[in-house]
Amino acid sequence: EAYELKNKLDKWFKFSDEKTAKKGLEECLLVMSSSTIEAFHRVEKTFNRWKQEILQSFMYPFNNGYIEGVNNTIKVTKRMSYGIKDFDRLKNKILWRQEVRRVFV
């Protein structure tokens, strides 16, 4: 049962577009509510709570992945640069790493 439901969710997510997402989500929610597995009931509650945002993610191709990557690069650079006392030096190091990252990606 869990495997089938997981595959249904995966198929819905991968193959839906802005026109079919709502119908597919409703079908998945219906199957989750009739499931005997408690974890799917929690997922159903979460999906119901975030339904509007989930459906909007199919309409708009935006995400915050790039910004999360930049933030992670800054955090790693700060961690590796422990002991740098001059803020301008740290800022330049962060900007340089971002520029290097942009060249190789």
Side-chain angles (χ1 to χ4, degrees):
E1 179 185 2
Y3 182 75
E4 291 172 13
L5 186 50
K6 189 234 10 136
N7 283 341
K8 185 169 183 65
L9 282 169
D10 190 48
K11 185 178 173 185
W12 164 74
F13 183 72
K14 286 182 180 175
F15 299 111
S16 291
D17 59 10
E18 63 184 80
K19 295 176 181 138
T20 61
K22 186 171 185 174
K23 183 178 180 236
L25 180 60
E26 294 298 333
E27 290 173 5
C28 288
L29 290 173
L30 188 65
V31 173
M32 281 191 274
S33 67
S34 64
S35 174
T36 59
I37 301 171
E38 179 59 34
F40 284 118
H41 293 279
R42 290 194 308 263
V43 172
E44 177 199 7
K45 287 180 187 176
T46 302
F47 277 25
N48 276 319
R49 196 170 35 247
W50 290 92
K51 185 186 270 185
Q52 181 180 0
E53 290 82 359
I54 291 169
L55 292 174
Q56 285 177 348
S57 73
F58 287 94
M59 290 184 241
Y60 305 107
F62 308 116
N63 65 47
N64 63 346
Y66 177 76
I67 297 300
E68 290 296 329
V70 170
N71 288 341
N72 186 48
T73 302
I74 291 170
K75 287 179 184 180
V76 169
T77 304
K78 282 174 55 180
R79 218 175 295 129
M80 290 174 21
S81 302
Y82 185 74
I84 292 181
K85 295 178 177 117
D86 186 17
F87 175 75
D88 287 328
R89 182 178 168 116
L90 177 62
K91 180 181 83 170
N92 289 335
K93 189 172 185 177
I94 290 169
L95 293 173
W96 178 80
R97 283 189 57 115
Q98 279 304 114
E99 202 57 42
V100 167
R101 185 171 173 236
R102 190 172 301 131
V103 168
F104 288 110
V105 172

